[in-house]
Amino acid sequence: NITSKINGVTYPIFVALPGSYSTSNKTYPVVYMLDAYSSFGIMVQMARLLSFDKEIPEVIIVGISSEGGSKEFNYNRSRDFTPTQIQPEKLPEDLRSSFPASGGAEKFLGFIKDELIPYVESNYRFSPGDRTLEGHSLGGLFVFYSLFKEPGLFKRYIAISPALLWDDGLLLKQEEKFFRDHKSLESIIYTA
């Protein structure tokens, strides 16, 4: 568990090391995945199978979870993964209970950048500059938010079913602004 000094939230962190980690001196790419509460086991097994088949290199997987159980899951992810605060009463009635808190993405990104990455990189053999951020739905929204807010923090970005319509397409507008101000983006992006 790591309690962030930036937002005061405690995050359970799961780390899966590649099979060869204990028998080698190699360094490894690191995949930071969101929603470890629900997806860590699936992600680890999928990565192990893909690396066994030589489709990807062996990787360290760092799963960022949230405290509590299923009841707190939606609250935590809507708080951390959304870049703007939207009052629940401004949402359609059927979505209000899904987004009881919002707008914490900047602090959550600060936690990852200034607290979690330094912790991982001081405790594990990592390949410098070879980081991936993965998330789905609101996590995919956060992946794109991170891409435009801190370009270069990660080398690869994986966004699965990203909730890009959040706050009237805020991230689509940020993408347009980013590309007005920048001539290139040195990242590998996968979205589905």
Side-chain angles (χ1 to χ4, degrees), residues 7-176:
N7 65 6
V9 175
T10 300
Y11 296 99
I13 304 298
F14 304 113
V15 179
L17 300 174
S20 67
Y21 191 88
S22 63
T23 59
S24 80
N25 291 320
K26 294 190 320 185
T27 61
Y28 299 88
V30 181
V31 176
Y32 292 85
M33 66 163 294
L34 307 176
D35 288 327
Y37 172 82
S38 64
S39 308
F40 185 71
I42 294 166
M43 178 78 140
V44 169
Q45 295 306 328
M46 182 175 50
R48 287 180 178 162
L49 179 62
L50 290 171
S51 67
F52 177 79
D53 288 339
K54 308 265 187 275
E55 293 186 46
I56 66 169
E58 286 187 299
V59 295
I60 297 171
I61 298 177
V62 176
I64 308 167
S65 192
S66 58
E67 285 194 307
S70 299
K71 181 180 176 187
E72 293 83 9
F73 182 64
N74 278 339
Y75 177 88
N76 293 335
R77 59 196 317 270
S78 67
R79 174 197 62 215
D80 290 337
F81 300 166
T82 56
T84 53
Q85 185 175 22
I86 295 179
Q87 297 303 319
E89 58 272 7
K90 292 188 177 180
L91 294 168
E93 225 176 292
D94 60 330
L95 294 178
R96 289 179 188 168
S97 64
S98 298
F99 303 102
S102 57
E106 184 172 359
K107 289 181 179 180
F108 183 61
L109 182 57
F111 160 71
I112 293 171
K113 177 185 174 191
D114 298 328
E115 298 174 319
L116 181 58
I117 289 173
Y119 173 83
V120 168
E121 293 184 355
S122 66
N123 287 285
Y124 299 97
R125 292 191 318 271
F126 66 97
S127 299
D130 200 346
R131 297 184 204 114
T132 298
L133 180 62
E134 180 276 334
H136 73 277
S137 190
L138 285 180
L141 171 73
F142 180 80
V143 166
F144 278 113
Y145 169 79
S146 304
L147 172 68
F148 299 125
K149 186 75 172 175
E150 286 285 343
L153 183 59
F154 296 93
K155 180 178 182 177
R156 295 176 187 85
Y157 296 82
I158 301 170
I160 302 164
S161 297
L164 295 178
L165 297 181
W166 177 263
D167 198 1
D168 195 30
L170 173 75
L171 260 290
L172 300 174
K173 294 169 189 165
Q174 286 184 349
E175 176 195 29
E176 289 173 8

